[in-house]
Amino acid sequence: MSHNPRYLQATHNFSLISPLLIHNHQIPQVIILNHHASNFRFPTRCANSTRPITCQSLHNFSCHFLLESFLPKVHILLIPFHFSPIMLHSLLPTLQHNPKASSSAMTSAGKRAVDVASPSVAEPSKRHRTHLSPVEKDLQSEEEGEDQLQAVAAGASAREDDDSTGLRLLGLLLQCAECVAMDNLDDAGQLLPEIAELSSPFGSSAQRVGAYFADALSARIISSYLSIYSPFSPLCKTHHQKLLNALQIFNSVTPLIKFSHFTANQAIQQALDGADHVHIIDLDIMQGLQWPGLFHILASKSRKVKSFRITGFGSSADLLKSTGQRLAEFATALNIPFEFQPIEGKIGNIKDLNQLNIKAGETIVVHWMHHCLYDVSGSDLGASRILTMLRPKLITIVEQDLSHGGSFLGRFVEALHYYSALFDALGDGLETESVERHTVEQQLFGCEIRNIVAVGGPKRTGEVKVERWEDELVRGGFRPVSLAGNPAAQANLLLGMFPWQGYTLVEEGGCLKLGWKDLPLLTASAWQPCE
Amino acid sequence: MDTLFRLVSLQSDQSLNSSRTSSSSRSSRQNPYQQEDEECFNIFMDDEDFSSSSSKHYNPYPHHQLHHHTASNTPTPTTTTTTGSATPTHHHVYDQSANQFSYSPARDVTLEFAASLSGHDSKWASDILLETAKAIADRNSARVQQLMWMLNELGSLYGDIDQKLASYFLQGLFSRMMDSGDRTYRTLISASEKNCSFDSTRKMVLKFQEVSPWTMFGHVACNGAIIEAFEGANKLHIIDISNTFCTQWPTLLEAIATRSDETPYLRITTVLVSKAGGANGGSSGVQKVMKEIGSRMEKFARLMGVPFKFNVIHHAGDLSELNLAELDIKEDETLAINCVGALHSVTTVGNRRDSLISIFRKLQPRLVTVVEEEADLDIGVDGVEFVRGFQESLRWFRVYFEALDESFPKTSNERLMLERAAGCAIVDLVACPQVDSVERRETAARWSHRLQGGGFRPVSFSEEVSDDVRALLRRYKDGWSMVQGSDSTGIFLNWKDQPVVWASAWKP
């Protein structure tokens, strides 16, 4: 399987569109999206390619079948193999008529679904949310069991306008990204106004995603012309305050942040069993929202810890100070002997282990929540070196299921996919006009998308990035600790406690993956040194 | 019922787009390092980001040496750590290159604006933008580059007012630097016209009227003056040069229908002006919208029992070059000319604005009503003149954005449409040649001077009309007020003590 994601859009004759990809035999799969294209011709060069072309429709029709029966009616988008229909979920409202179709297409071998404590099914229609009109709901039920392709087509004709907007938007975004990848900034810039015009930060999920990707592309184009790629972070309190405010909203409207806190805390408390002196190193502590939960767990145990230290990394001394004070208050209330050690900086830039002020007899746990809001670790290799030298009892990591390196185009397509699901998830239960929704999207997602699309990827530095931290940790002498037991149960409980539907929890190789309609969004893992 | 208008056919658009881009991406400038087709593949690979972008450089003034950052020329390591051969020595090497790259280009500019950025009530966008304009005037390209980088990093079209201003003005300044103002403007206009529908336009205009008196202020004042001027006449013709989609006329039709004497015959000729050469096929969207509006107007007039004829003239080019024969003015008609935001669309180059006024004079109207936004946006081409005009534009658009921000809900598509239109105007002002500009507003004092010079005298609005306007303003949030102009030349709509719109009436 290729790790170079490729897409191809085909309306009429796709041999016109990407001779480059065909030349390199980077033939992606085919997914049927719509029924608008006519006069579709399969390019002969593509057909003669040494690599077989796999055509995947929502129904796994064979290529022949496609060509013979549906081609006059289908719109075809060629996208990479891992490009699941989830993305189409939000970009193309039609496909929402067929949750079954997408989930069956999604079921892949090797993943064991954790039995999510099924939340009450009182409102099955909630899943489809407000943007389905009653008529469309009827359509949906009538079509149950019918040929799903037909259902898609029928749905499409009912909402052609929405579809065409989503489809045009997707096509234009990919075109624009291709221009950027080809270093053709001029043409890319010319495509942006139309993308912006079709999208809106207050529209459908697809339009929202489009708005922020267009914004990110525009910023990338300008920075490419300026030849300055580094991020600018105003070191001011108002900026941080805004970010933290958005994170708090995010925490209250989706289970994603809670998921990372819950699972990590469970793994940590298991590792701390029997420890007297605890030292937690949080590589990006922010407001320290995670730790009161752990305080509670420890306070409820019969065997009390003798000392509890948290070392918090952060970029603002002010913020670290107030975080420390808040945590100290919590700890005092629970009679935990607590000490906070702020470090203004990044783990990867630490030259000397002494800076961490490790004391003999301490049980050390490192917690690392990945995100693309800014660079957390500094030098990845420095971070890896410090972790190896530190050999903590446990490392808990929560990662986005999103690659942070690789080629621009690959990163772009993957991020488009990822954020389509994330925007969709956030929109679940929130109105289009919701100010909270806008705040989270603008302050958090928009910022992350910008960093991912920027030259150099999320960290926006030219240095080498660690692509897969699991490999790096294994190389550093760590082995994974399974989260299948208690942490998984906790995560299940969490999802059951709240009204969210559509989130899926999967355990894979000891890691826990929280996804939206089967697309993994966050992966939690824990590591301990090999004996 | 309102869905008569549909977007341009999806299919034709899509085929157009995909074929356009496919050919352009193939014919695009290739990365100098990768000439062979086979190697093109490499640009999709790991480090394409830096290698390709380093070949880009931006040079605002070709004859000036651009300060190059080491960052852009730093070769990036081509292997990743996942190869399994990472050793401490490697780490050392990587760290070095990392340090070189993350060289922060603008420590000094960062510090320069630290206070501005952290201030609670700060207007950082205006501060940085003004400095950028000054640096442009000084031809200090290194500083321009750094300031633009800051604006690009901080700005967002969907953020707060400062972020929006930073983003929209950066677009203008950037187009100016790239000498692509004209093209950017056209692309923006054609994108917006392509997606312009009767529905979205109607929603936007009505919502704007609902939350802000910005447009209604002029409508009420002008309608009052026109009705008074038309008293006794029975063949009426209004030349309506405006961009307000006829939202002014229903109330006028109502007033005329309820006139005590015989209901007169009314003609309205709406003139829509677009930049010459721009908006080729794109304006079809606007034409469709106007067609729909026309049929609604006719329907409304029938309902009101007013004998009515409606006509639209789409004029591409400068308003001063309007073909008067097209207006089809009849001898026996009583004529009124209603200009809403029309005068500032005339170029400032030459004497076009004055000559348009003398054309109006020759038409012998009973009344001319003029509504203009109160600003002095005659941006000079270069140097101090440019900075002065730029500063005034910043002031003006901040007031406009603030007024929108306080009037509309936070998440409003209608507001977004208005902001985008303002963004187009900013590109026009900052980056387009003066001769093509359609956005250069002038102050009431200057317009009055021009009108008086053209043989018009001001007519004060009657007490009745003023009362109507005050009643209108009471319908909106606090902050709006009406102020009389000096020497009885019109009235101002004030927003938080800043005059924003000026309405006036004139007779030959």
Side-chain angles (χ1 to χ4, degrees):
Chain A
M1 290 214 290
S2 162
H3 276 282
N4 296 305
R6 293 289 180 275
Y7 75 90
L8 257 181
Q9 188 190 18
T11 41
H12 295 259
N13 178 356
F14 77 54
S15 62
L16 273 177
I17 295 174
S18 210
L20 193 77
L21 301 186
I22 293 160
H23 187 85
N24 288 294
H25 311 303
Q26 296 293 311
I27 307 301
Q29 285 185 328
V30 180
I31 289 192
I32 299 173
L33 287 184
N34 216 319
H35 60 134
H36 287 300
S38 52
N39 307 321
F40 181 83
R41 275 174 290 133
F42 215 66
T44 45
R45 281 175 69 196
C46 201
N48 294 335
S49 149
T50 48
R51 263 176 65 146
I53 300 157
T54 32
C55 289
Q56 186 200 330
S57 74
L58 292 175
H59 232 168
N60 289 328
F61 288 118
S62 74
C63 186
H64 275 288
F65 188 73
L66 278 173
L67 289 168
E68 285 164 13
S69 341
F70 282 95
L71 280 182
K73 284 184 283 177
V74 294
H75 183 100
I76 289 192
L77 188 84
L78 291 172
I79 48 185
F81 67 90
H82 70 262
F83 207 83
S84 73
I86 281 272
M87 165 168 193
L88 316 175
H89 253 292
S90 53
L91 280 170
L92 296 172
T94 29
L95 290 173
Q96 288 181 345
H97 292 290
N98 285 282
K100 264 168 61 185
S102 56
S103 57
S104 67
M106 286 295 302
T107 311
S108 49
K111 285 190 185 173
R112 183 166 62 86
V114 173
D115 186 22
V116 176
S118 92
S120 86
V121 269
E123 271 185 297
S125 64
K126 191 171 177 261
R127 188 183 175 118
H128 295 279
R129 293 186 304 286
T130 45
H131 52 261
L132 280 188
S133 72
V135 180
E136 283 150 353
K137 279 177 190 154
D138 286 353
L139 263 180
Q140 187 191 340
S141 54
E142 271 172 32
E143 283 156 2
E144 209 79 46
E146 279 187 30
D147 184 325
Q148 282 157 339
L149 261 186
Q150 278 176 20
V152 169
S157 60
R159 24 192 330 151
E160 211 153 287
D161 265 16
D162 270 10
D163 267 13
S164 62
T165 306
L167 203 57
R168 271 168 75 192
L169 203 46
L170 175 62
L172 285 167
L173 277 171
L174 294 174
Q175 273 175 33
C176 186
E178 193 177 60
C179 287
V180 169
M182 302 284 287
D183 206 21
N184 184 0
L185 300 182
D186 199 44
D187 281 357
Q190 289 294 305
L191 286 165
L192 284 176
E194 193 175 352
I195 299 176
E197 200 65 48
L198 288 169
S199 53
S200 158
F202 321 119
S204 63
S205 279
Q207 287 181 307
R208 287 164 180 256
V209 172
Y212 292 102
F213 273 87
D215 184 57
L217 283 167
S218 159
R220 180 186 166 112
I221 291 168
I222 291 180
S223 81
S224 295
Y225 276 115
L226 295 175
S227 312
I228 310 181
Y229 313 120
S230 21
F232 174 78
S233 37
L235 301 162
C236 65
K237 221 174 167 182
T238 38
H239 179 82
H240 285 294
Q241 210 48 58
K242 270 177 142 178
L243 195 69
L244 293 176
N245 177 36
L247 276 166
Q248 274 180 352
I249 298 173
F250 188 39
N251 186 32
S252 63
V253 295
T254 74
L256 290 160
I257 294 182
K258 288 191 183 79
F259 161 79
S260 40
H261 292 175
F262 271 53
T263 40
N265 280 347
Q266 278 305 315
I268 292 170
Q269 69 111 350
Q270 282 177 1
L272 291 182
D273 203 27
D276 286 331
H277 302 279
V278 177
H279 186 175
I280 290 190
I281 301 171
D282 188 338
L283 302 193
D284 184 24
I285 193 158
M286 297 190 188
Q287 286 165 304
L289 289 179
Q290 173 167 356
W291 306 118
L294 186 64
F295 291 165
H296 275 285
I297 296 174
L298 294 182
S300 66
K301 294 203 167 184
S302 49
R303 188 192 162 114
K304 307 291 181 198
V305 294
K306 298 203 172 98
S307 74
F308 191 109
R309 284 211 298 155
I310 291 183
T311 294
F313 282 89
S315 54
S316 147
D318 266 5
L319 199 70
L320 284 170
K321 199 177 155 202
S322 53
T323 298
Q325 277 165 357
R326 215 171 17 251
L327 288 176
E329 282 164 24
F330 268 111
T332 315
L334 293 168
N335 279 327
I336 293 174
F338 178 74
E339 192 189 325
F340 184 71
Q341 170 175 290
I343 298 184
E344 199 181 340
K346 296 169 184 176
I347 179 96
N349 302 341
I350 282 203
K351 298 285 171 230
D352 186 355
L353 263 190
N354 291 335
Q355 278 178 266
L356 293 173
N357 195 18
I358 305 295
K359 289 173 185 160
E362 277 183 342
T363 305
I364 300 167
V365 170
V366 173
H367 177 69
W368 188 358
M369 165 90 196
H370 290 235
H371 57 72
C372 307
L373 290 169
Y374 45 81
D375 176 21
V376 170
S377 57
S379 156
D380 267 7
L381 293 152
S384 166
R385 195 172 50 216
I386 290 282
L387 291 179
T388 311
M389 276 151 59
L390 195 59
R391 282 187 88 70
K393 176 95 184 283
L394 189 76
I395 302 175
T396 49
I397 293 183
V398 181
E399 289 167 287
Q400 293 171 309
D401 277 83
L402 185 63
S403 61
H404 292 181
S407 75
F408 163 73
L409 201 56
R411 218 163 60 221
F412 183 90
V413 172
E414 205 184 331
L416 192 57
H417 186 188
Y418 183 87
Y419 284 96
S420 295
L422 195 53
F423 273 75
D424 205 25
L426 181 69
D428 190 40
L430 290 178
E431 299 293 319
T432 14
E433 294 86 16
S434 159
V435 177
E436 286 80 16
R437 186 176 171 187
H438 173 59
T439 306
V440 171
E441 289 171 347
Q442 203 260 325
Q443 302 274 339
L444 303 181
F445 301 173
C447 169
E448 291 198 313
I449 291 169
R450 266 195 180 213
N451 287 336
I452 293 164
V453 171
V455 175
K459 291 169 83 83
R460 300 178 61 179
T461 54
E463 65 173 300
V464 167
K465 286 163 285 240
V466 167
E467 264 303 292
R468 288 163 58 87
W469 271 98
E470 53 240 75
D471 297 343
E472 188 65 20
L473 288 170
V474 166
R475 222 186 344 271
F478 291 91
R479 61 180 178 81
V481 182
S482 173
L483 296 175
N486 246 351
Q490 283 286 325
N492 259 332
L493 209 63
L494 170 78
L495 289 183
M497 267 160 57
F498 292 95
W500 300 300
Q501 302 187 27
Y503 286 98
T504 44
L505 191 63
V506 172
E507 188 242 307
E508 196 183 324
C511 300
L512 285 181
K513 286 177 180 286
L514 183 62
W516 175 250
K517 294 177 180 168
D518 293 320
L519 180 93
L521 294 175
L522 291 180
T523 297
S525 60
W527 304 80
Q528 63 188 35
C530 304
E531 294 315 324
Chain B
M1 42 188 282
D2 278 344
T3 50
L4 289 170
F5 188 82
R6 283 273 152 213
L7 287 169
V8 199
S9 139
L10 161 78
Q11 193 147 350
S12 59
D13 280 355
Q14 275 187 337
S15 53
L16 189 90
N17 286 333
S18 50
S19 59
R20 187 183 65 200
T21 312
S22 61
S23 57
S24 58
S25 61
R26 270 190 303 165
S27 64
S28 73
R29 213 157 16 96
Q30 295 288 322
N31 190 309
Y33 307 113
Q34 290 139 359
Q35 274 137 13
E36 295 298 316
D37 225 25
E38 194 65 51
E39 284 193 328
C40 263
F41 178 59
N42 283 337
I43 69 162
F44 292 100
M45 297 300 286
D46 210 344
D47 294 302
E48 123 275 8
D49 270 4
F50 294 103
S51 60
S52 69
S53 293
S54 65
S55 69
K56 281 275 161 270
H57 44 261
Y58 136 83
N59 196 341
Y61 304 103
H63 49 279
H64 278 246
Q65 185 62 43
L66 184 78
H67 166 54
H68 260 288
H69 291 284
T70 50
S72 57
N73 295 323
T74 307
T76 24
T78 47
T79 52
T80 60
T81 54
T82 45
T83 51
S85 60
T87 64
T89 356
H90 276 90
H91 286 171
H92 185 64
V93 172
Y94 289 145
D95 284 352
Q96 269 193 342
S97 66
N99 287 340
Q100 269 180 340
F101 188 88
S102 49
Y103 157 62
S104 173
R107 193 82 203 148
D108 44 345
V109 288
T110 309
L111 293 174
E112 184 181 342
F113 294 100
S116 174
L117 282 163
S118 56
H120 210 66
D121 219 15
S122 87
K123 295 177 174 176
W124 59 262
S126 299
D127 295 347
I128 303 177
L129 281 163
L130 186 59
E131 284 304 312
T132 316
K134 283 180 185 160
I136 288 171
D138 294 346
R139 313 212 151 204
N140 182 349
S141 51
R143 186 164 161 82
V144 169
Q145 184 190 26
Q146 298 197 341
L147 292 169
M148 280 191 164
W149 164 74
M150 274 181 96
L151 291 167
N152 190 39
E153 289 297 312
L154 291 167
S156 161
L157 294 176
Y158 314 127
D160 57 28
I161 291 175
D162 276 279
Q163 288 181 298
K164 284 175 193 167
L165 287 172
S167 223
Y168 283 116
F169 273 94
L170 175 63
Q171 182 178 37
L173 289 173
F174 185 68
S175 308
R176 184 190 157 95
M177 298 280 82
M178 305 297 290
D179 216 9
S180 63
D182 234 10
R183 200 158 71 112
T184 308
Y185 183 83
R186 268 172 215 186
T187 317
L188 286 169
I189 291 289
S190 94
S192 99
E193 284 180 349
K194 202 164 161 187
N195 293 294
C196 151
S197 71
F198 175 72
D199 250 4
S200 61
T201 310
R202 189 185 72 118
K203 259 169 110 176
M204 186 260 283
V205 171
L206 293 185
K207 187 76 187 170
F208 193 27
Q209 290 189 354
E210 183 195 319
V211 299
S212 162
W214 198 279
T215 52
M216 288 300 278
F217 169 78
H219 291 355
V220 171
C222 294
N223 278 350
I226 291 171
I227 286 161
E228 287 175 3
F230 274 168
E231 236 156 75
N234 55 14
K235 267 194 103 179
L236 315 176
H237 188 180
I238 299 173
I239 310 286
D240 170 35
I241 313 172
S242 69
N243 50 2
T244 51
F245 302 99
C246 293
T247 45
Q248 182 175 347
W249 306 124
T251 48
L252 183 105
L253 276 164
E254 253 177 298
I256 284 176
T258 54
R259 219 162 84 160
S260 48
D261 52 349
E262 195 189 339
T263 309
Y265 170 82
L266 175 68
R267 273 179 73 198
I268 292 180
T269 303
T270 290
V271 180
L272 280 173
V273 186
S274 59
K275 256 189 196 183
N280 24 44
S283 68
S284 69
V286 179
Q287 282 176 16
K288 280 186 190 168
V289 170
M290 286 313 293
K291 213 171 159 190
E292 173 65 25
I293 287 170
S295 74
R296 279 159 182 262
M297 292 277 292
E298 277 156 10
K299 214 167 147 187
F300 188 75
R302 268 201 304 280
L303 204 73
M304 290 283 133
V306 177
F308 181 69
K309 190 164 182 275
F310 182 75
N311 195 21
V312 181
I313 296 171
H314 292 275
H315 175 72
D318 201 89
L319 183 58
S320 62
E321 289 162 355
L322 181 68
N323 178 5
L324 296 179
E326 272 189 89
L327 297 173
D328 191 25
I329 296 166
K330 306 278 195 315
E331 279 288 318
D332 55 346
E333 287 172 341
T334 305
L335 190 68
I337 303 175
N338 181 61
C339 302
V340 181
L343 297 185
H344 76 237
S345 76
V346 178
T347 180
T348 49
V349 175
N351 236 352
R352 296 292 186 80
R353 294 190 169 181
D354 289 330
S355 65
L356 178 70
I357 289 168
S358 48
I359 289 170
F360 287 168
R361 179 72 181 77
K362 283 188 200 118
L363 294 175
Q364 294 184 311
R366 173 82 57 99
L367 189 77
V368 176
T369 44
V370 174
V371 178
E372 279 293 331
E373 289 166 336
E374 177 67 6
D376 182 12
L377 304 188
D378 196 3
I379 297 190
V381 184
D382 233 325
V384 186
E385 287 300 295
F386 170 70
V387 175
R388 191 208 60 77
F390 187 83
Q391 188 168 15
E392 169 69 0
S393 304
L394 272 176
R395 181 200 69 84
W396 164 252
F397 282 101
R398 179 178 286 277
V399 170
Y400 183 62
F401 276 58
E402 279 174 359
L404 291 181
D405 198 56
E406 293 200 14
S407 305
F408 280 94
K410 263 201 156 30
T411 54
S412 157
N413 272 314
E414 289 77 32
R415 185 182 68 172
L416 184 67
M417 284 171 81
L418 291 165
E419 286 168 354
R420 280 180 182 156
C424 278
I426 290 169
V427 170
D428 171 293
L429 285 165
V430 176
C432 290
Q434 201 169 359
V435 63
D436 296 333
S437 173
V438 294
E439 302 287 351
R440 287 178 148 71
R441 289 149 180 83
E442 288 182 342
T443 58
R446 278 183 80 182
W447 290 122
S448 297
H449 187 73
R450 287 185 192 278
L451 282 154
Q452 277 162 343
F456 286 96
R457 64 176 174 83
V459 185
S460 359
F461 291 104
S462 68
E463 213 29 60
E464 215 167 291
V465 174
S466 300
D467 283 347
D468 283 352
V469 172
R470 284 192 203 97
L472 172 84
L473 299 188
R474 280 196 289 275
R475 282 169 32 196
Y476 298 96
K477 285 184 190 166
D478 286 351
W480 301 101
S481 61
M482 188 193 90
V483 172
Q484 291 288 343
S486 56
D487 304 332
S488 68
T489 49
I491 49 175
F492 290 99
L493 172 68
N494 274 23
W495 189 74
K496 296 196 172 168
D497 299 326
Q498 301 215 49
V500 290
V501 181
W502 173 65
S504 61
W506 302 81
K507 282 188 176 166

